[in-house]
Amino acid sequence: MKTKSFNTYKVSKEHAGLTVENYLKQVLQYSGRQIQKLTRRKGILLNGKTVYLQKKVKPDDTLRVIVDGDNAYGVQPEQGPVEILYEDDYLLVINKPAYQLVHPTGHTTSGTLANYLAYHLEQRGIICTIRAVHRLDRETSGCIIFAKDARSQFLLEQQLAARTLKRTYWALVKGSVSPPAGTIDAPIGPHPHFANRRAVTAHGDPAITHYQTVRSFPEATLLELTLDTGRTHQIRVHLAHIGYPVIGDGMYGVRSPWIGRQALHASFVSFRHLQDQRELTVHAPLPADFAHAIEQAQICKKAQAE
């Protein structure tokens, strides 16, 4: 028989005096329908005992709420490497290698990060649908967040919309970027001629990218970028639009002998812990091929100086 799983919450002083129902709605953001379902299942415990919804909570009370378990992964588990950067009861942050798809798509049904993660969880006896909170392009490496249950996914997506979940990228771009820091505010929509591309267009969706220079080279610039929005190919489209395409990006720039892919890496993510709200930052180390590209830019700098 499957063991019931609960999420546990400690009531803070600022929420003392709320009824259990209001705590669930206002603090934990459960809907009325979800609360009814939890009540029928006796899935709400206050200090270890079932409780009426109108009971008022006190500081340091412990509220436990049953978790609706998944019964499938949503993808076919497949053995493969998975580098976990961070994990708790609600989510995982994975270091995605370059050239790997996040999820099966089109004719590609195996070899994706989702397939490998499903197998990894299966080996640990954990059954949960594989839920990516955001996406990375096939060639982009670095941090990607997976939620372990539907509620955690919802809360993380809310953080994403409120910009309390922040994604920071490093990009090596062609040219000497000027000004060295700035904001690109340009709408992005479908490309007028190529179905798989995006373009800056007056009728596109709002898209905002912030950048600042990390290091400058004669022929390239290493940038750190953060996003206010998450449009498809946003960083690549925006940087090409202002004349500094990502090195190695064959779609929006040109391929490069320095690196066999686009030099774009999701270097870290920061977010608020879903239970105690402390801010967490998870970093993905720079891959060897990206580090090599930076070395090549440095070599060019030395050659020009001699």
Side-chain angles (χ1 to χ4, degrees), residues 120-180:
H120 176 81
L121 293 172
E122 184 180 55
Q123 295 304 297
R124 293 165 54 191
I126 300 171
I127 301 176
C128 68
T129 301
I130 306 300
R131 301 173 172 90
V133 176
H134 54 107
R135 296 286 189 271
L136 292 177
D137 296 337
R138 183 197 287 264
E139 290 189 12
T140 302
S141 54
C143 294
I144 183 163
I145 302 174
F146 289 86
K148 286 186 172 179
D149 58 80
R151 174 163 177 72
S152 296
Q153 181 181 26
F154 170 73
L155 293 174
L156 288 165
E157 287 172 347
Q158 281 197 318
Q159 287 194 30
L160 200 55
R163 300 175 195 164
T164 50
L165 191 163
K166 300 170 185 174
R167 297 159 291 163
T168 302
Y169 296 79
W170 273 23
L172 189 65
V173 303
K174 187 175 180 180
S176 181
V177 175
S178 180

Side-chain angles (χ1 to χ4, degrees), residues 60-285:
D60 295 325
D61 274 352
T62 299
L63 191 69
R64 301 180 70 212
V65 183
I66 198 167
V67 177
D68 279 329
D70 296 324
N71 54 21
Y73 296 100
V75 296
Q76 181 63 42
E78 180 183 353
Q79 187 171 5
V82 175
E83 183 182 351
I84 297 175
L85 300 170
Y86 172 83
E87 181 178 7
D88 59 28
D89 291 339
Y90 312 99
L91 60 91
L92 303 106
V93 183
I94 307 296
N95 189 9
K96 185 187 90 67
Y99 307 111
Q100 187 177 41
L101 285 173
V102 173
H103 261 292
T105 181
H107 297 296
T108 305
T109 58
S110 64
T112 74
L113 188 56
N115 294 115
Y116 292 174
L117 180 55
Y119 180 86
H120 176 81
L121 293 172
E122 184 180 55
Q123 295 304 297
R124 293 165 54 191
I126 300 171
I127 301 176
C128 68
T129 301
I130 306 300
R131 301 173 172 90
V133 176
H134 54 107
R135 296 286 189 271
L136 292 177
D137 296 337
R138 183 197 287 264
E139 290 189 12
T140 302
S141 54
C143 294
I144 183 163
I145 302 174
F146 289 86
K148 286 186 172 179
D149 58 80
R151 174 163 177 72
S152 296
Q153 181 181 26
F154 170 73
L155 293 174
L156 288 165
E157 287 172 347
Q158 281 197 318
Q159 287 194 30
L160 200 55
R163 300 175 195 164
T164 50
L165 191 163
K166 300 170 185 174
R167 297 159 291 163
T168 302
Y169 296 79
W170 273 23
L172 189 65
V173 303
K174 187 175 180 180
S176 181
V177 175
S178 180
T183 296
I184 309 165
D185 186 350
I188 293 175
H191 194 285
H193 306 300
F194 300 101
N196 64 333
R197 298 189 189 185
R198 298 294 182 270
V200 170
T201 170
H203 302 294
D205 295 318
I208 298 173
T209 304
H210 307 283
Y211 72 86
Q212 62 180 21
T213 297
V214 177
R215 290 176 68 184
S216 295
F217 309 98
E219 298 180 15
T221 306
L222 181 62
L223 296 177
E224 183 173 276
L225 307 110
T226 56
L227 307 178
D228 282 0
T229 52
R231 308 303 173 201
T232 301
H233 301 173
Q234 178 173 320
I235 290 174
R236 298 161 61 197
V237 171
H238 269 174
L239 291 174
H241 176 68
I242 63 171
Y244 305 107
V246 177
I247 285 174
D249 185 353
M251 183 173 285
Y252 299 105
V254 291
R255 290 297 181 185
S256 170
W258 291 358
I259 188 170
R261 62 174 175 107
Q262 62 209 26
L264 184 60
H265 176 66
S267 56
F268 60 87
V269 291
S270 60
F271 53 91
R272 298 204 174 278
H273 190 277
L274 296 186
Q275 182 173 358
D276 59 27
Q277 296 299 302
R278 73 185 188 277
E279 186 166 346
L280 296 171
T281 298
V282 182
H283 179 263

